[in-house]
Amino acid sequence: MMAEPEPEPPQASASSEPEPTSEPEFTDTVQWILVVIAVIFIIVGTIGNSLVILTIVRMTNRSITEIFLTSLAVADLLVCIACIPLLIVGITVHSGHTGFSYILEQQIFYSSSVASILNLTAVAIDRHDVIMNPMNRKITVKRCKYVLVAVWAISLLVAVVIYFIPSKYEWILLGLFLFTPLYLMIHCYVKVLKKAKESAEKVLSEKSNGGATKKKGRVDKTVRMVVVIVVMFCVSWIPSLIVRFLKYTIDIEDLLLAVLEISSCLVAYGGSSLNFLVYAFMSRKFKNTMMQMFFKRGKVMPFRNTAGLSMLQTNI
């Protein structure tokens, strides 16, 4: 009798698609809590970022800052409608991530996340340019368009790169697109704060106590705003980097790893869904236009910003 031929070993895939593994089951209570939080982020982020886009589109004489904010809102809206729903499926269906392609999940995650991070960085660079070169802007409308094309091209390129690199090296890519933008943001905002301090000291030496106190209050608000921006960025994205690094460097219990991964994603997505509160709704021009859009008929009148620290306060 002829011996049966041995089965051929499976061919290795050209991509970094790992074999799906069963994930630990969460209790119903944990599932409900995580899903409710995720749904809240979807609702708040979708409504808020859509409102930002509609309001800025309705503005007359849109500034470069508002163009960048529109792009940021689009990136964050993409996170809300693409990434968070996939995360909800992953919470409720435990058959190897969401049950879809792992690579596809990672492509959506990284592309959307990098778009949001790079748009945040572009806003920081624009704020620096506004304050440091108010009369001779380096970032013109034409250059702004080039920057946005580069931002979205890099974000899409990341989705391609993720397909080819082994999954255990993904954290390096995330680290690159986290710490480089973080350095640029801190560099820009530190220089902005120095400029604000110099302006306040000049006012203290030239104006009355009442005017100086008002300017000092604006500087204090600017400092608080910068701190909020940087801290929110770090809190949103550093946990994801840490979890992805630990996943491939130490042994972690499956249930603990699943909780850490989902929690860090929720934190990151929550930051994206709430960005509009920091960048748009704290601008007087945006709030003015939005109120006119909802409560007044006719053409929205342009809102004039005053120079100096008020520009810092309203547009940072």
Coordinates of all heavy atoms in Angstrom, one line a residue, residues 212-286:
A212 N -2.8 96.4 32.7 CA -1.8 95.3 32.9 C -2.4 94.1 33.5 O -2.1 93.0 33.1 CB -0.7 95.9 33.8
T213 N -3.3 94.3 34.4 CA -4.0 93.1 35.0 C -4.8 92.4 34.0 O -4.8 91.1 34.0 CB -4.9 93.6 36.2 OG1 -4.2 94.3 37.1 CG2 -5.6 92.4 36.8
K214 N -5.5 93.1 33.1 CA -6.3 92.4 32.1 C -5.4 91.6 31.1 O -5.7 90.5 30.8 CB -7.1 93.5 31.3 CG -8.0 92.9 30.2 CD -8.8 94.0 29.6 CE -9.7 93.5 28.5 NZ -10.5 94.5 27.8
K215 N -4.2 92.2 30.7 CA -3.3 91.5 29.9 C -2.7 90.3 30.6 O -2.6 89.2 29.9 CB -2.2 92.4 29.4 CG -2.6 93.5 28.4 CD -2.9 92.9 27.1 CE -3.3 94.0 26.1 NZ -3.6 93.5 24.7
K216 N -2.4 90.4 31.8 CA -1.9 89.3 32.6 C -2.9 88.1 32.6 O -2.5 87.0 32.6 CB -1.5 89.7 34.0 CG -0.8 88.6 34.8 CD -0.4 89.1 36.2 CE 0.4 88.0 36.9 NZ -0.4 86.8 37.1
G217 N -4.2 88.5 32.8 CA -5.2 87.5 32.8 C -5.2 86.7 31.5 O -5.4 85.5 31.4
R218 N -5.0 87.4 30.4 CA -5.0 86.8 29.0 C -3.8 85.9 28.9 O -3.9 84.8 28.3 CB -5.0 87.8 27.9 CG -6.3 88.6 27.8 CD -6.2 89.7 26.7 NE -7.5 90.4 26.5 CZ -7.6 91.4 25.8 NH1 -6.6 91.9 25.2 NH2 -8.8 92.0 25.6
V219 N -2.7 86.3 29.4 CA -1.5 85.4 29.4 C -1.7 84.2 30.2 O -1.4 83.0 29.8 CB -0.2 86.2 29.9 CG1 0.9 85.2 30.0 CG2 0.1 87.3 29.0
D220 N -2.3 84.3 31.4 CA -2.6 83.2 32.2 C -3.5 82.2 31.5 O -3.3 81.0 31.6 CB -3.2 83.6 33.6 CG -2.2 84.4 34.4 OD1 -1.0 84.2 34.2 OD2 -2.7 85.1 35.3
K221 N -4.5 82.7 30.8 CA -5.4 81.8 30.1 C -4.7 81.1 29.0 O -5.0 80.0 28.7 CB -6.6 82.7 29.5 CG -7.7 81.8 28.8 CD -8.9 82.6 28.5 CE -9.9 81.7 27.8 NZ -11.1 82.5 27.4
T222 N -3.8 81.8 28.3 CA -3.0 81.2 27.2 C -2.1 80.1 27.8 O -2.1 79.0 27.2 CB -2.1 82.3 26.6 OG1 -2.9 83.3 26.0 CG2 -1.3 81.7 25.5
V223 N -1.5 80.3 28.9 CA -0.7 79.3 29.6 C -1.5 78.0 29.9 O -1.1 76.9 29.6 CB 0.0 79.8 30.8 CG1 0.7 78.7 31.6 CG2 1.0 80.9 30.5
R224 N -2.7 78.3 30.4 CA -3.6 77.1 30.8 C -4.0 76.4 29.5 O -4.1 75.2 29.5 CB -4.9 77.7 31.5 CG -4.6 78.1 32.9 CD -5.9 78.3 33.7 NE -6.8 79.2 33.1 CZ -6.8 80.5 33.5 NH1 -5.9 81.0 34.3 NH2 -7.6 81.4 32.9
M225 N -4.3 77.1 28.5 CA -4.7 76.5 27.2 C -3.6 75.6 26.6 O -3.8 74.5 26.2 CB -5.1 77.6 26.2 CG -5.4 77.0 24.8 SD -7.0 76.1 24.8 CE -8.1 77.5 24.9
V226 N -2.4 76.1 26.6 CA -1.2 75.4 26.1 C -1.0 74.1 26.9 O -0.8 73.0 26.4 CB 0.0 76.2 26.1 CG1 1.3 75.4 25.8 CG2 -0.1 77.3 25.1
V227 N -1.1 74.2 28.3 CA -0.9 73.1 29.1 C -2.0 72.0 28.8 O -1.7 70.8 28.7 CB -1.0 73.5 30.6 CG1 -1.1 72.3 31.5 CG2 0.2 74.3 31.0
V228 N -3.3 72.5 28.7 CA -4.4 71.6 28.4 C -4.1 70.8 27.0 O -4.3 69.6 26.9 CB -5.7 72.3 28.3 CG1 -6.8 71.4 27.7 CG2 -6.1 72.8 29.7
I229 N -3.6 71.6 26.0 CA -3.4 71.0 24.7 C -2.3 69.9 24.8 O -2.5 68.8 24.3 CB -3.0 72.0 23.7 CG1 -4.2 73.0 23.4 CG2 -2.4 71.4 22.4 CD1 -3.8 74.2 22.6
V230 N -1.2 70.2 25.4 CA -0.1 69.2 25.5 C -0.4 68.0 26.3 O -0.2 66.9 26.0 CB 1.2 69.9 26.0 CG1 2.3 68.9 26.2 CG2 1.6 71.0 25.0
V231 N -1.0 68.3 27.5 CA -1.4 67.2 28.4 C -2.4 66.3 27.8 O -2.3 65.1 27.8 CB -1.9 67.7 29.8 CG1 -2.5 66.6 30.6 CG2 -0.8 68.4 30.5
M232 N -3.4 66.9 27.1 CA -4.5 66.1 26.4 C -3.9 65.2 25.4 O -4.3 64.0 25.2 CB -5.5 67.0 25.9 CG -6.7 66.3 25.3 SD -8.0 67.5 24.8 CE -9.2 66.3 24.0
F233 N -2.9 65.7 24.6 CA -2.3 65.0 23.6 C -1.5 63.8 24.2 O -1.6 62.7 23.7 CB -1.3 65.9 22.8 CG -0.6 65.2 21.7 CD1 -1.1 65.1 20.4 CD2 0.7 64.7 21.9 CE1 -0.5 64.5 19.4 CE2 1.4 64.0 20.8 CZ 0.8 63.9 19.6
C234 N -0.7 64.0 25.2 CA 0.0 63.0 25.8 C -0.9 61.9 26.5 O -0.6 60.7 26.3 CB 1.0 63.6 26.9 SG 2.3 64.6 26.3
V235 N -1.9 62.3 27.2 CA -2.8 61.4 27.8 C -3.5 60.5 26.8 O -3.8 59.4 27.0 CB -3.8 62.1 28.7 CG1 -4.9 61.2 29.2 CG2 -3.0 62.8 29.9
S236 N -3.8 61.1 25.6 CA -4.6 60.4 24.6 C -3.8 59.3 24.0 O -4.3 58.2 23.7 CB -5.1 61.4 23.5 OG -6.0 62.3 24.1
W237 N -2.5 59.6 23.6 CA -1.8 58.7 22.8 C -0.6 57.9 23.4 O -0.3 56.8 22.9 CB -1.2 59.5 21.6 CG -2.3 60.0 20.7 CD1 -2.7 61.3 20.6 CD2 -3.1 59.3 19.9 NE1 -3.7 61.4 19.7 CE2 -4.0 60.2 19.3 CE3 -3.2 57.9 19.5 CZ2 -5.0 59.8 18.4 CZ3 -4.2 57.5 18.6 CH2 -5.0 58.5 18.0
I238 N 0.0 58.4 24.5 CA 1.1 57.6 25.1 C 0.6 56.3 25.7 O 1.4 55.3 25.5 CB 1.8 58.5 26.2 CG1 2.6 59.6 25.5 CG2 2.7 57.6 27.1 CD1 3.3 60.5 26.5
P239 N -0.6 56.1 26.3 CA -1.0 54.8 26.7 C -1.0 53.8 25.6 O -0.6 52.6 25.8 CB -2.4 55.1 27.3 CG -2.4 56.5 27.7 CD -1.5 57.2 26.7
S240 N -1.5 54.1 24.4 CA -1.5 53.2 23.3 C -0.1 52.7 22.9 O 0.2 51.5 22.6 CB -2.1 53.8 22.1 OG -3.5 53.9 22.2
L241 N 0.9 53.7 22.9 CA 2.2 53.3 22.6 C 2.8 52.4 23.7 O 3.5 51.4 23.4 CB 3.1 54.6 22.6 CG 4.6 54.4 22.3 CD1 4.8 53.7 21.0 CD2 5.3 55.7 22.4
I242 N 2.6 52.7 25.0 CA 3.1 51.8 26.1 C 2.5 50.4 26.0 O 3.2 49.4 26.1 CB 2.8 52.4 27.4 CG1 3.5 53.8 27.6 CG2 3.1 51.5 28.6 CD1 3.2 54.5 28.8
V243 N 1.2 50.3 25.8 CA 0.5 49.0 25.7 C 1.1 48.2 24.5 O 1.4 47.0 24.6 CB -1.0 49.1 25.6 CG1 -1.6 47.8 25.3 CG2 -1.5 49.7 26.9
R244 N 1.2 48.8 23.4 CA 1.7 48.1 22.2 C 3.2 47.7 22.4 O 3.6 46.6 21.8 CB 1.5 49.0 20.9 CG 0.1 49.0 20.5 CD -0.2 50.0 19.4 NE -1.6 50.1 19.1 CZ -2.2 49.4 18.2 NH1 -1.6 48.5 17.5 NH2 -3.5 49.5 18.1
F245 N 3.9 48.5 23.1 CA 5.3 48.1 23.4 C 5.4 46.9 24.3 O 6.1 45.9 24.1 CB 6.1 49.3 24.0 CG 7.5 48.9 24.5 CD1 8.5 48.7 23.6 CD2 7.7 48.8 25.9 CE1 9.8 48.4 24.1 CE2 9.0 48.5 26.3 CZ 10.0 48.3 25.4
L246 N 4.6 46.9 25.4 CA 4.6 45.9 26.4 C 4.0 44.6 25.8 O 4.5 43.5 26.2 CB 3.7 46.3 27.6 CG 4.2 47.4 28.4 CD1 3.2 47.7 29.5 CD2 5.6 47.1 29.0
K247 N 3.1 44.7 24.8 CA 2.5 43.5 24.2 C 3.5 42.6 23.6 O 3.4 41.3 23.7 CB 1.5 43.9 23.2 CG 0.8 42.8 22.4 CD -0.2 43.4 21.4 CE -0.9 42.2 20.7 NZ -1.9 42.8 19.7
Y248 N 4.6 43.1 23.0 CA 5.6 42.3 22.3 C 6.9 42.2 23.1 O 7.9 41.7 22.5 CB 5.8 42.9 20.9 CG 4.6 42.9 20.1 CD1 3.9 44.1 19.7 CD2 4.1 41.7 19.6 CE1 2.7 44.0 19.0 CE2 3.0 41.7 18.8 CZ 2.3 42.8 18.5 OH 1.2 42.8 17.7
T249 N 7.0 42.7 24.3 CA 8.2 42.6 25.0 C 8.2 41.8 26.3 O 9.2 41.3 26.8 CB 8.8 44.1 25.3 OG1 7.7 44.8 26.0 CG2 9.2 44.8 24.1
I250 N 7.0 41.7 26.9 CA 6.8 41.0 28.1 C 5.6 40.1 28.0 O 4.7 40.3 27.2 CB 6.7 41.9 29.4 CG1 5.5 42.7 29.3 CG2 8.0 42.7 29.5 CD1 5.2 43.5 30.6
D251 N 5.6 39.1 28.9 CA 4.4 38.2 28.9 C 3.3 38.8 29.8 O 3.6 39.1 31.0 CB 4.8 36.8 29.4 CG 5.7 36.0 28.5 OD1 5.5 36.2 27.3 OD2 6.5 35.3 28.9
I252 N 2.1 39.0 29.2 CA 1.0 39.5 29.9 C -0.2 38.6 29.8 O -0.4 38.0 28.8 CB 0.6 40.9 29.4 CG1 1.8 41.9 29.4 CG2 -0.5 41.5 30.2 CD1 1.5 43.2 28.8
E253 N -0.9 38.4 30.9 CA -2.1 37.6 30.9 C -3.0 38.1 29.9 O -3.2 39.3 29.7 CB -2.7 37.6 32.3 CG -3.9 36.7 32.4 CD -4.6 36.9 33.8 OE1 -4.1 37.7 34.6 OE2 -5.7 36.4 33.9
D254 N -3.7 37.1 29.1 CA -4.5 37.5 28.0 C -5.6 38.4 28.4 O -5.9 39.4 27.7 CB -5.1 36.2 27.4 CG -4.1 35.3 26.7 OD1 -3.0 35.9 26.4 OD2 -4.4 34.1 26.5
L255 N -6.3 38.2 29.5 CA -7.4 39.1 29.9 C -6.9 40.5 30.2 O -7.5 41.5 29.8 CB -8.1 38.5 31.1 CG -9.3 39.3 31.6 CD1 -10.4 39.5 30.5 CD2 -9.9 38.7 32.9
L256 N -5.8 40.6 30.9 CA -5.2 41.9 31.3 C -4.8 42.6 30.0 O -5.0 43.8 29.9 CB -4.0 41.7 32.2 CG -3.2 43.0 32.6 CD1 -4.2 44.0 33.3 CD2 -2.0 42.6 33.4
L257 N -4.2 41.9 29.1 CA -3.7 42.5 27.8 C -4.9 43.0 27.0 O -4.9 44.1 26.5 CB -3.0 41.5 27.0 CG -2.5 42.0 25.6 CD1 -1.5 43.2 25.8 CD2 -1.8 40.9 24.8
A258 N -6.0 42.2 27.0 CA -7.2 42.7 26.2 C -7.8 43.9 26.9 O -8.2 44.9 26.2 CB -8.3 41.6 26.2
V259 N -7.8 44.0 28.2 CA -8.3 45.2 28.9 C -7.5 46.4 28.6 O -8.0 47.5 28.3 CB -8.4 44.9 30.4 CG1 -8.8 46.2 31.2 CG2 -9.5 43.9 30.7
L260 N -6.1 46.2 28.7 CA -5.2 47.3 28.4 C -5.3 47.8 27.0 O -5.3 49.0 26.8 CB -3.8 46.8 28.7 CG -3.4 46.6 30.2 CD1 -2.0 46.0 30.3 CD2 -3.5 47.9 31.0
E261 N -5.4 46.9 26.0 CA -5.5 47.3 24.6 C -6.8 48.1 24.4 O -6.7 49.2 23.7 CB -5.4 46.1 23.7 CG -4.0 45.5 23.6 CD -4.0 44.5 22.5 OE1 -4.7 43.5 22.6 OE2 -3.2 44.7 21.6
I262 N -7.9 47.6 24.9 CA -9.2 48.3 24.6 C -9.2 49.6 25.4 O -9.7 50.6 24.8 CB -10.3 47.4 25.0 CG1 -10.4 46.2 24.0 CG2 -11.7 48.1 25.0 CD1 -11.5 45.2 24.3
S263 N -8.7 49.6 26.6 CA -8.8 50.9 27.4 C -7.9 51.9 26.8 O -8.3 53.1 26.7 CB -8.3 50.6 28.8 OG -9.1 49.6 29.5
S264 N -6.7 51.6 26.3 CA -5.8 52.6 25.7 C -6.4 53.1 24.4 O -6.3 54.3 24.1 CB -4.4 52.0 25.4 OG -4.5 50.9 24.5
C265 N -7.1 52.2 23.6 CA -7.7 52.7 22.4 C -8.9 53.6 22.7 O -9.1 54.6 22.0 CB -8.3 51.5 21.6 SG -7.0 50.6 20.6
L266 N -9.6 53.3 23.8 CA -10.7 54.2 24.2 C -10.2 55.6 24.6 O -10.8 56.6 24.2 CB -11.5 53.6 25.3 CG -12.7 52.7 25.0 CD1 -13.3 52.1 26.2 CD2 -13.7 53.4 24.1
V267 N -9.1 55.6 25.3 CA -8.5 56.9 25.7 C -8.1 57.7 24.5 O -8.4 58.9 24.4 CB -7.3 56.6 26.6 CG1 -6.6 57.9 26.9 CG2 -7.8 56.0 28.0
A268 N -7.4 57.0 23.5 CA -7.0 57.7 22.3 C -8.1 58.2 21.5 O -8.2 59.4 21.0 CB -6.1 56.7 21.5
Y269 N -9.1 57.3 21.3 CA -10.3 57.7 20.5 C -11.1 58.8 21.2 O -11.7 59.7 20.6 CB -11.2 56.5 20.3 CG -10.5 55.5 19.4 CD1 -11.0 54.2 19.4 CD2 -9.5 55.8 18.6 CE1 -10.4 53.2 18.6 CE2 -8.9 54.8 17.8 CZ -9.3 53.5 17.8 OH -8.8 52.5 17.1
G270 N -11.1 58.8 22.6 CA -11.8 59.8 23.3 C -11.2 61.1 23.1 O -11.9 62.2 23.0
G271 N -9.8 61.2 23.1 CA -9.1 62.4 22.8 C -9.5 63.0 21.5 O -9.7 64.2 21.3
S272 N -9.5 62.1 20.5 CA -9.9 62.6 19.1 C -11.3 63.1 19.1 O -11.6 64.1 18.4 CB -9.7 61.4 18.1 OG -8.4 61.1 17.9
S273 N -12.2 62.4 19.8 CA -13.6 62.8 19.7 C -13.9 64.1 20.4 O -14.9 64.8 20.2 CB -14.5 61.7 20.3 OG -14.3 61.5 21.7
L274 N -13.0 64.5 21.4 CA -13.2 65.7 22.2 C -12.2 66.8 21.8 O -12.3 67.9 22.4 CB -13.0 65.4 23.7 CG -14.0 64.3 24.2 CD1 -13.6 64.1 25.7 CD2 -15.4 64.8 24.1
N275 N -11.4 66.7 20.8 CA -10.5 67.7 20.3 C -11.2 69.0 20.0 O -10.7 70.1 20.3 CB -9.7 67.3 19.1 CG -8.4 66.5 19.5 OD1 -7.9 66.7 20.5 ND2 -8.0 65.6 18.6
F276 N -12.4 68.9 19.4 CA -13.1 70.1 19.0 C -13.4 71.0 20.2 O -13.6 72.2 20.0 CB -14.4 69.7 18.3 CG -15.5 69.1 19.2 CD1 -16.4 69.9 19.8 CD2 -15.5 67.7 19.4 CE1 -17.4 69.3 20.6 CE2 -16.5 67.2 20.2 CZ -17.4 68.0 20.8
L277 N -13.6 70.5 21.4 CA -13.9 71.3 22.6 C -12.7 72.3 22.9 O -12.9 73.4 23.3 CB -14.2 70.4 23.8 CG -15.4 69.6 23.7 CD1 -15.5 68.7 24.9 CD2 -16.7 70.5 23.7
V278 N -11.5 71.8 22.6 CA -10.3 72.6 22.9 C -10.0 73.6 21.8 O -9.7 74.7 22.0 CB -9.1 71.7 23.2 CG1 -7.8 72.5 23.4 CG2 -9.4 70.8 24.4
Y279 N -10.1 73.1 20.6 CA -9.6 73.9 19.4 C -10.6 74.8 18.8 O -10.3 75.8 18.2 CB -9.0 72.9 18.4 CG -7.7 72.3 18.8 CD1 -7.6 71.1 19.5 CD2 -6.5 73.0 18.5 CE1 -6.4 70.6 19.9 CE2 -5.3 72.5 18.9 CZ -5.2 71.2 19.6 OH -4.0 70.7 20.0
A280 N -11.8 74.4 18.8 CA -12.9 75.2 18.1 C -13.8 76.0 19.0 O -13.9 77.2 18.9 CB -13.7 74.3 17.2
F281 N -14.4 75.2 20.0 CA -15.4 75.9 20.8 C -14.8 76.9 21.8 O -15.5 77.7 22.4 CB -16.2 74.8 21.6 CG -17.2 74.2 20.8 CD1 -17.0 73.0 20.0 CD2 -18.5 74.7 20.7 CE1 -18.0 72.5 19.2 CE2 -19.5 74.2 19.9 CZ -19.2 73.0 19.2
M282 N -13.5 76.9 22.0 CA -12.9 77.9 22.8 C -12.4 79.2 22.0 O -11.8 80.1 22.6 CB -11.7 77.3 23.6 CG -12.1 76.2 24.6 SD -10.9 75.7 25.8 CE -11.1 77.1 27.0
S283 N -12.8 79.2 20.8 CA -12.5 80.4 19.9 C -13.8 81.3 19.9 O -14.9 80.8 19.5 CB -12.1 79.9 18.5 OG -12.2 81.0 17.6
R284 N -13.6 82.5 20.2 CA -14.8 83.4 20.1 C -15.3 83.6 18.7 O -16.5 83.7 18.5 CB -14.3 84.8 20.6 CG -14.2 84.9 22.2 CD -14.0 86.3 22.6 NE -12.7 86.8 22.1 CZ -12.4 88.1 21.9 NH1 -13.3 89.0 22.3 NH2 -11.3 88.5 21.5
K285 N -14.5 83.6 17.7 CA -14.9 83.7 16.4 C -15.8 82.5 16.0 O -16.9 82.7 15.4 CB -13.7 83.8 15.4 CG -14.1 83.9 13.9 CD -12.9 84.0 13.0 CE -13.3 84.1 11.6 NZ -12.2 84.2 10.7
F286 N -15.4 81.3 16.4 CA -16.2 80.1 16.1 C -17.5 80.2 16.8 O -18.6 79.9 16.1 CB -15.4 78.9 16.5 CG -16.2 77.6 16.3 CD1 -16.2 76.9 15.1 CD2 -16.9 77.1 17.4 CE1 -16.9 75.7 14.9 CE2 -17.7 75.9 17.2 CZ -17.6 75.2 16.0

